[in-house]
Amino acid sequence: MPLSVQLKTPVTGEYTQPTGLWINNEWVEGVDKKTFEVINPATEEVLCSVSEATEKDVDIAVAAARKAFNGAWRTTTPHQRGKYMTKLADILEQNIDLLAAVESLDNGKSISMARGDVHAVIGCIRYYGGWADKIEGKTIDVDHESFHYTRPEPIGVCGQIIPWNFPLLMLSWKIGPALATGNTVVLKSAEQTPLSALVFANFVKEAGFPPGVLNIISGFGRVAGAAISAHMDVDKVAFTGSTPVGRAIMKAAASSNLKKVTLELGGKSPNIVFDDADIEQAISWVNFGIYFNHGQCCCAGSRVYVQEGIYDKFIAAFKKRAEQNSVGDPFDENTFQGPQVSKLQYDRIMGYIEAGKKEGATIETGGERHGDKGYFIKPTIFTNVTADMKIMREEIFGPVVAVAKFKTEEEVIHLGNDSSYGLAAAVHTKNINTALRVSNELRAGTVWVNCYNLINFQVAFGGYKESGIGRELGEAALANYTQNKSVSIRLGGALF
Ligand code: NAI
Ligand code: MG
């Protein structure tokens, strides 16, 4: 198979799309020369085929990452690591349109949102580049006869498995803290969206990274993903995706070499609107909270609780707002919502819509396909959703929101926490005391007040309960990619 193909986007015209595996700073075919097809979800057409990594390719990539970890990367100074990362950010900055267009093509997200993603990717890599020479230990005063210090050391070879909803953004959240702290990486993209990570890989060598430091492969979860999580020479695995796969990865880590595990999993986040909220603002954020990225967000505000005093007014205005979201061609600059990422996801979401109808919830708007080509679903609002209904309990991961009415603060805290997930939550109110009380009570890794989805690379993000283990972004992520070494030195003579 050739290691690249010519593809076209309305933004870039023709461009060269790499299709191989990026191992040791080179494009290679898989050992078994397997490939798989990449689909454009807006048209259901095949874009190209890319190399599929098998266990054998994972072995080769891990060996390359190990060699770099023990060799060139170990002797690279922290300052130089940071320079490579900021150089990479500079190169990405010169290629925003290309990266965004490839993301839209393969994932279906609107081009304006894809550009937003790429800006966040650049910010994230530059931010962690800045951390590279600020990873510091402590000295600890124990007594006069000894001297103790700590060193945060890299963990080693990190396997990173990412999903398809934010292909480039998830890549940056993963590699940023890993590389800044001196680890090496084998990253597997999601099989639904391999293209942007391959375009990204093309810039790794140009930025100056030594061979083997950052390896990027395409492949399936049950083959390459499973091989990474069970690998005896991978020291850490970081994963974003579904809760069942998160469990499988943890089991694989436990039954192989007890590699360190961080997980960023699903969510069913409550978005709470009190009577005294600025209703126009709240509707805007509730709309953005659920429909951003077509509902394919781990932190989507998919359970909306509205206080009884404004309930009817809120529903009428929210319905109007949802119906105004422009759904369609991802390459139209005005599009807000593109197609779901795949036929499988489309079918899953339509299944949830059927379940909601069967269980007796009311469809206020949507509930059906948009258009006749591509995996588009109309923004959907269910009301009269009770706490036991499937659409209130399970992650739908589509443009479908479940709305319920509440009376008191105490009741809504209970409802908000009535979930096995705990990734995010939001509170809309003009009363600062309500905002702080409810934020403190909600069992979630992120709480937004009078906003939603305001994620920034400087601010930690991650889950309570079954939404995950560990934190990404901010200073907090560094802890997941370093391990503490304590060195104790005896200054006095013999003790015994
Ligand atoms: P998934 O969890 O199967 O896929 C995510 C990543 O894990 C992909 O790279 C995949 O190749 C890999 N993977 C799959 N099985 C694996 C295994 N056994 N070992 C190692 N890696 C494996 O998610 P999927 O099927 O694409 O989506 C299903 C549901 O998962 C969605 O409807 C949504 O509810 C949730 N999800 C949550 C995401 C989040 O951001 N937290 C992202 C994507 C999906
Ligand atoms: Mg695709």
Side-chain angles (χ1 to χ4, degrees):
M1 197 192 81
L3 293 170
S4 67
V5 291
Q6 294 304 111
L7 291 184
K8 234 191 220 161
T9 77
V11 174
T12 57
E14 197 166 282
Y15 77 97
T16 302
Q17 171 65 54
T19 54
L21 307 173
W22 179 254
I23 299 176
N24 235 346
N25 275 4
E26 278 172 26
W27 291 111
V28 293
E29 284 185 283
V31 173
D32 291 335
K33 306 209 183 316
K34 284 188 163 185
T35 62
F36 66 96
E37 287 181 340
V38 183
I39 311 280
N40 176 346
T43 61
E44 306 181 32
E45 286 160 10
V46 175
L47 288 164
C48 62
S49 288
V50 297
S51 292
E52 181 203 330
T54 65
E55 291 88 346
K56 295 172 199 160
D57 304 303
V58 169
D59 281 346
I60 294 170
V62 170
R66 175 61 61 196
K67 189 163 174 236
F69 182 73
N70 289 339
W73 202 228
R74 198 176 190 85
T75 51
T76 300
T77 63
H79 176 69
Q80 186 60 51
R81 286 204 301 264
K83 275 177 81 173
Y84 292 143
M85 293 183 74
T86 47
K87 172 86 188 289
L88 178 59
D90 292 344
I91 299 170
L92 297 173
E93 205 147 46
Q94 288 152 19
N95 289 278
I96 292 173
D97 273 349
L98 171 65
L99 291 158
V102 174
E103 200 77 314
S104 285
L105 190 67
D106 194 2
N107 167 281
K109 66 175 71 199
S110 67
I111 186 70
S112 57
M113 301 290 168
R115 279 198 203 97
D117 281 12
V118 176
H119 281 285
V121 166
I122 295 163
C124 180
I125 290 179
R126 194 168 277 138
Y127 169 77
Y128 281 110
W131 267 114
D133 57 5
K134 298 166 194 72
I135 313 291
E136 297 169 350
K138 285 183 175 177
T139 62
I140 303 160
D141 187 12
V142 174
D143 56 33
H144 274 77
E145 284 76 44
S146 63
F147 171 60
H148 305 255
Y149 68 91
T150 65
R151 270 165 63 84
E153 296 191 345
I155 293 174
V157 175
C158 299
Q160 304 187 317
I161 302 171
I162 59 168
W164 42 261
N165 51 345
F166 294 91
L168 279 174
L169 193 64
M170 292 301 104
L171 178 151
S172 71
W173 288 20
K174 293 280 180 286
I175 69 166
L179 297 178
T181 47
N183 299 276
T184 58
V185 168
V186 176
L187 177 134
K188 187 194 84 63
S189 58
E191 53 269 39
Q192 297 84 349
T193 54
L195 297 189
S196 57
L198 298 177
V199 171
F200 181 102
N202 248 351
F203 304 131
V204 169
K205 193 173 176 179
E206 195 183 334
F209 288 96
V213 171
L214 175 53
N215 307 279
I216 297 179
I217 59 177
S218 316
F220 291 93
R222 60 180 184 277
V223 182
I228 289 172
S229 6
H231 206 287
M232 291 303 288
D233 202 32
V234 169
D235 300 302
K236 180 211 164 73
V237 61
F239 169 73
T240 298
S242 63
T243 299
V245 171
R247 284 186 212 283
I249 286 175
M250 217 168 165
K251 280 185 192 152
S255 48
S256 54
N257 61 346
L258 277 173
K259 55 180 68 62
K260 315 286 179 266
V261 180
T262 45
L263 305 173
E264 205 262 272
L265 307 175
K268 189 76 183 173
S269 299
N271 201 351
I272 300 169
V273 187
F274 282 92
D275 280 343
D276 68 350
D278 177 326
I279 192 160
E280 283 309 308
Q281 293 274 333
I283 284 164
S284 218
W285 288 113
V286 166
N287 185 67
F288 186 62
I290 181 63
Y291 299 123
F292 170 57
N293 211 40
H294 330 160
Q296 304 168 142
C297 286
C298 47
C299 55
S302 50
R303 292 185 290 144
V304 172
Y305 298 103
V306 184
Q307 204 164 15
E308 56 184 358
I310 55 159
Y311 184 83
D312 292 340
K313 193 173 157 201
F314 182 94
I315 297 297
F318 179 29
K319 182 178 164 204
K320 209 166 137 201
R321 180 65 201 255
E323 286 168 356
Q324 281 165 2
N325 291 338
S326 56
V327 183
D329 176 9
F331 283 101
D332 181 334
E333 292 286 344
N334 297 316
T335 293
F336 174 70
Q337 184 184 314
Q340 306 311 125
V341 77
S342 66
K343 174 82 168 58
L344 183 66
Q345 286 302 116
Y346 172 89
D347 289 341
R348 272 183 188 157
I349 297 159
M350 292 310 272
Y352 276 111
I353 290 175
E354 284 315 306
K357 286 184 194 164
K358 253 194 208 133
E359 288 188 296
T362 310
I363 292 201
E364 295 289 340
T365 186
E368 56 190 19
R369 183 184 190 122
H370 168 94
D372 52 12
K373 203 173 61 166
Y375 312 124
F376 295 91
I377 298 176
K378 288 187 180 163
T380 300
I381 302 175
F382 274 104
T383 53
N384 297 317
V385 188
T386 55
D388 55 330
M389 286 184 192
K390 201 170 162 172
I391 57 168
M392 193 57 108
R393 305 215 70 81
E394 294 181 20
E395 181 173 56
I396 299 176
F397 228 61
V400 180
V401 69
V403 187
K405 200 189 287 185
F406 74 94
K407 283 191 171 69
T408 66
E409 182 178 317
E410 194 189 2
E411 178 194 3
V412 82
I413 289 169
H414 170 76
L415 289 169
N417 286 334
D418 182 20
S419 172
S420 55
Y421 292 118
L423 191 56
V427 188
H428 302 267
T429 172
K430 285 195 195 122
N431 185 324
I432 183 80
N433 293 354
T434 311
L436 292 179
R437 270 198 313 268
V438 177
S439 301
N440 286 346
E441 291 304 318
L442 289 169
R443 306 257 303 134
T446 291
V447 180
W448 287 297
V449 177
N450 294 330
C451 61
Y452 209 93
N453 281 335
L454 287 194
I455 294 176
N456 186 283
F457 44 81
Q458 293 172 256
V459 183
F461 181 82
Y464 280 32
K465 300 194 262 182
E466 290 177 30
S467 287
I469 297 176
R471 290 292 177 271
E472 301 201 86
L473 303 182
E475 188 177 359
L478 301 170
N480 296 323
Y481 285 95
T482 50
Q483 48 195 347
N484 177 78
K485 177 178 282 174
S486 298
V487 180
S488 294
I489 304 163
R490 177 84 181 149
L491 303 178
L495 249 191
F496 305 105

